[in-house]
Amino acid sequence: MSNVPPFLRHAPVTTALPLVLDSPHSGEHYPDDFDHAPPRAVVRRAEDTHVARLYRHAPRLGAALIEAVFPRAYIDANRSLDDIDPTMLAEAWPSPLAVSRKTGKGIGLLWRIARGGAPMYARKLAIAEVQRRIDHWYRPYHAALAAEIDALHRTFGAVWHINCHSMPAVGDEYADDAGRVRKDFVLGDRDGTTCAPEFTALVAETLAGLGYSVAINDPYKGVEIVRLHGRPDERRHSLQIELNRRLYMDEATRGPTTGYRQLEANLQRLLSRIADYVRAQV
Ligand SMILES: [Zn+2]
């Protein structure tokens, strides 16, 4: 088994705040047993490339940043463990499955198709190898994030978590908004259930003040990670932030564009405003 760690944790380098960021989809380490059928460049279109790097300043503001090292197309950290497509498996899964709409579209815990629609695998997956992906990559990532959030909540009595993602500039055929040109940012709080409305509003207003267009819960409401951690009645606030890739990268080559530095600087301004807010709450 690989010596590559499943996640990286960037600890605060100044006084710690109860603020945690996680980037579950920006991993770029493709394990040797990921024998995807389409070319790597096609499979990589599933990645939120650069997202963890764009938030690397977070520890200087007192926030912890946890990033997945494994790619989303291998096992998707933002899905529940029972969201598996049984048609991808060589054998019956040993426990009950709860297939979601995402799996219906081919993008559940295990992706059946690559972006563009080509089958991800030329074979069925064995139960043992899927369980290895879960135990070696998925579970440690989730355990690290939960430990971080729980420890801060114990210390401060409240915690704020930002689940960091990026999205294609235009909805593709697997999205709920196929063909639609997207806003610069989409905030997801699962229709106001995963964080205090004032926190979503603070982020939306700060981004609008920086000149960005912002949508809330449209087309992305947030999926498994904010659902797991967002319990605002316990002062556990969790918000998903989707960045539009046109702001910072060429979606064909995956290379950063000239907009990258400006976005990075503006994300620093956003996090600084969030840090001030969090500091005032505890
Ligand atoms: Zn993502």
Side-chain angles (χ1 to χ4, degrees):
M1 191 47 83
S2 150
N3 290 321
V4 176
F7 64 88
L8 297 176
R9 174 180 179 268
H10 307 274
V13 293
T14 182
T15 308
L17 289 170
L19 180 59
V20 181
L21 280 70
D22 92 292
S23 178
H25 289 161
S26 53
E28 298 174 332
H29 169 72
Y30 283 70
D32 290 341
D33 66 348
F34 187 13
D35 56 344
H36 51 77
R40 178 66 51 86
V42 173
V43 177
R44 289 198 66 187
R45 287 174 54 202
E47 279 177 24
D48 291 349
T49 313
H50 304 302
V51 165
R53 280 189 286 277
L54 280 162
Y55 288 100
R56 282 280 169 87
H57 53 269
R60 293 202 295 274
L61 294 164
L65 168 64
I66 295 174
E67 58 171 301
V69 168
F70 53 96
R72 175 192 201 180
Y74 182 63
I75 186 162
D76 192 332
N78 202 24
R79 300 287 185 263
S80 62
L81 284 175
D82 52 11
D83 196 2
I84 296 175
D85 184 342
T87 69
M88 295 176 65
L89 304 175
E91 309 141 88
W93 191 249
S95 56
L97 296 175
V99 170
S100 77
R101 241 162 36 89
K102 299 285 189 188
T103 280
K105 289 174 181 256
I107 55 172
L109 181 71
L110 305 165
W111 282 32
R112 190 181 71 246
I113 51 167
R115 293 282 190 210
M120 189 71 83
Y121 301 95
R123 64 185 182 90
K124 303 279 189 190
L125 302 180
I127 300 299
E129 68 181 313
V130 176
Q131 286 171 334
R132 271 199 304 278
R133 294 184 195 189
I134 290 170
D135 292 341
H136 188 77
W137 304 98
Y138 181 105
R139 285 193 196 280
Y141 182 78
H142 274 263
L145 179 59
E148 194 79 38
I149 289 174
D150 288 347
L152 290 169
H153 188 262
R154 266 196 305 279
T155 302
F156 291 91
V159 64
W160 285 262
H161 162 238
I162 297 173
N163 184 226
C164 305
H165 295 265
S166 69
M167 60 186 171
V170 178
D172 66 17
E173 61 265 47
Y174 307 102
D176 291 331
D177 62 340
R180 179 148 57 105
V181 174
R182 289 168 168 163
K183 307 279 195 197
D184 295 325
F185 283 78
V186 177
L187 310 183
D189 62 9
R190 294 184 66 89
D191 297 321
T193 61
T194 63
C195 66
E198 68 173 30
F199 185 57
T200 307
L202 170 94
V203 174
E205 283 159 19
T206 304
L207 289 170
L210 290 166
Y212 293 115
S213 59
V214 183
I216 298 176
N217 294 312
D218 175 26
Y220 294 110
K221 294 177 186 296
V223 192
E224 178 67 4
I225 293 177
V226 297
R227 188 192 68 75
L228 272 175
H229 295 291
R231 298 198 288 279
D233 52 338
E234 297 173 23
R235 303 192 77 203
R236 293 169 179 264
H237 302 280
S238 202
L239 177 68
Q240 174 173 291
I241 299 183
E242 294 271 1
L243 311 174
N244 194 312
R245 291 176 190 161
R246 71 169 172 248
L247 296 173
Y248 66 92
M249 70 179 263
D250 179 323
E251 291 191 62
T253 65
R254 317 205 67 71
T257 58
T258 51
Y260 185 99
R261 293 286 168 215
Q262 191 195 350
L263 177 63
E264 187 180 42
N266 281 335
L267 290 175
Q268 195 156 356
R269 291 183 184 101
L270 170 67
L271 277 194
S272 180
R273 178 75 192 84
I274 291 172
D276 288 345
Y277 169 83
V278 167
R279 209 174 282 115
Q281 304 294 310
V282 293

